[in-house]
Structures are given as C-alpha cells and as structure tokens.
Amino acid sequence: GAALGLAGAALSARSARSAADTQAAAMSNASALQAQTARESIDLQREMYEKSLELGKPYREAGYSALTRIQDLLPGLTSQVSANEIRNLPGFQFAIDQGIGAARQNANVGGGGSNIDRAAQKFAIDYTTSVAMPQVLAQRQNIYNTLAGVAGIGQTAAGGAQQAGAGYGANVANISGTTAGAIGNLGVGAGNALASGNIAAANSWSSALNNVGNAAFMYSLMNKG
C-alpha cells in the first residue's frame, strides 16, 4: 500500500509539473506572439507614416520655393510704383499715343494754342494714375496671391506631416505600452503556473509520505501484538 501511495504521488507530482510546464509554455508562446504582432503593427505604422511623408513631399517643397520667392520679391512688391513698371505695361505706350492724339485734336478744335499741350498732359497724367498704376498694383497683387496660395499648400502639407508624426509616435507608444503590459501579465501567469505545479507536486509527495508514515506506525503497533 505504501508503495502504491508513493507511486501515485510520483504520478500526481509528474502530472502537476507537466500541466504547469504546458501552461507556462503556452503563455510563453502567447508572449512571443504578442511581441511579434506588436513589431508588425509598429512596422505598419512606420510604413504608413513614411508613405504620408513621401506623398506630401512635392507640396512641401513647392511651398518652400513659393515662400522663398515671396521673400525675394517682397521689396519690389511693396515699393512705390516706378515709371519703368508703368511704361512696360502691355499697350501702355499705344494707349498714351492714341489718347494724347485725341486730346490734342479736341483741344485744337476748341481753340488750339496752349490748350493743346495742356490737354495732352492732362490725359497722360489721368491715364497713368487712374488706369496704368492700378494695373501695376493688380499685377503685383496677383503675383503675391499666386505665390501665397502655393506657400499655403506647402504649409498645409507640412502641418499634415507634423500631425502624422505625432500620430505615429502616439500609436507606437500605445502599442509598446499595451504589449509590455500584456507580456508582463503573461510572464506573471507563467510564473504562477509553475509555482502552482511545484506546490501541487510537493503536496502530493507530502500527502503520500504522511500516509506511508501512518502505515508504518500502524504496522509497528500490529506487530507488537
């Protein structure tokens, strides 16, 4: 009976340890799978982030170029309108010649003399200030608006890249933190499983040895009789 009890204890202890080892191995495999999944997820996040940077690169570069161009042209865009700018307007000289000719002709019909020169001068001044100068200013404004629009596109792209970077960092941190917690819990579970198996095995041996001791005591009492 004692032999059978010891054999049963050995089998029970072996089974407890085997079950604990199996459970610990399963948790270890789960931990490795968790880590692998986290690495793949982080790699995917990095790939998406780098792709977003690649797609936005042309817009950012165009924005930088436009901003540089604005800085180069800004002194001229904000300066007083020059005579050269006015004279270089398409059709300016033709309009002046035609207008002055008409003004001179009208003044000549009205009496001639000094009125002709005054009429020509007045037309040139009026046309320059009311027509030519606003055209120059409008051209400047159009140039600035065009460049500013491109620079704005670049700024938007740069802002998108910044947000993508912040999102990438936050996602990686979240994945890393969650994975670390899960692996930690699995490690604790594996340790607890092994500890429980060892305790169960020790209890089996303790119970068997206790039974053997009791049997030996009873046997000695019976032999004394």
Side-chain angles (χ1 to χ4, degrees):
L4 289 175
L6 290 175
L11 179 60
S12 178
R14 188 161 52 249
S15 298
R17 288 197 182 97
S18 177
D21 289 342
T22 299
Q23 187 175 0
M27 290 184 174
S28 178
N29 290 336
S31 177
L33 181 60
Q34 187 87 14
Q36 179 183 353
T37 302
R39 286 193 296 270
E40 292 175 353
S41 181
I42 290 175
D43 288 342
L44 178 60
Q45 292 288 330
R46 183 183 300 110
E47 181 179 349
M48 294 171 60
Y49 171 60
E50 291 176 350
K51 189 63 177 178
S52 69
L53 290 181
E54 179 184 350
L55 293 175
K57 183 179 179 180
Y59 301 96
R60 294 194 303 274
E61 290 180 346
Y64 298 149
S65 298
L67 182 59
T68 300
R69 187 61 176 158
I70 288 176
Q71 292 173 336
D72 293 340
L73 295 178
L74 194 59
L77 294 176
T78 56
S79 65
Q80 295 290 331
V81 176
S82 67
N84 284 334
E85 286 181 286
I86 292 176
R87 281 194 293 267
N88 289 331
L89 283 174
F92 172 77
Q93 193 60 50
F94 176 79
I96 284 290
D97 292 342
Q98 292 295 311
I100 288 177
R104 285 179 177 275
Q105 184 176 359
N106 291 335
N108 186 45
V109 172
S114 61
N115 291 333
I116 297 176
D117 292 333
R118 284 198 298 269
Q121 184 179 27
K122 183 177 185 307
F123 173 82
I125 293 174
D126 290 345
Y127 181 82
T128 298
T129 56
S130 62
V131 178
M133 187 174 293
Q135 288 181 7
V136 171
L137 295 176
Q139 285 184 351
R140 291 183 179 184
Q141 188 65 49
N142 290 337
I143 292 172
Y144 174 80
N145 289 342
T146 300
L147 293 174
V150 177
I153 293 174
Q155 183 179 16
T156 301
Q162 184 178 8
Q163 290 180 354
Y168 167 68
N171 289 337
V172 169
N174 182 54
I175 292 171
S176 299
T178 301
T179 303
I183 292 176
N185 291 334
L186 289 170
V188 171
N192 290 338
L194 291 174
S196 298
N198 290 331
I199 291 173
N203 288 337
S204 295
W205 281 111
S206 177
S207 177
L209 292 174
N210 185 55
N211 291 336
V212 169
N214 290 336
F217 178 69
M218 294 297 297
Y219 179 76
S220 65
L221 289 179
M222 292 175 63
N223 285 339
K224 286 182 180 181

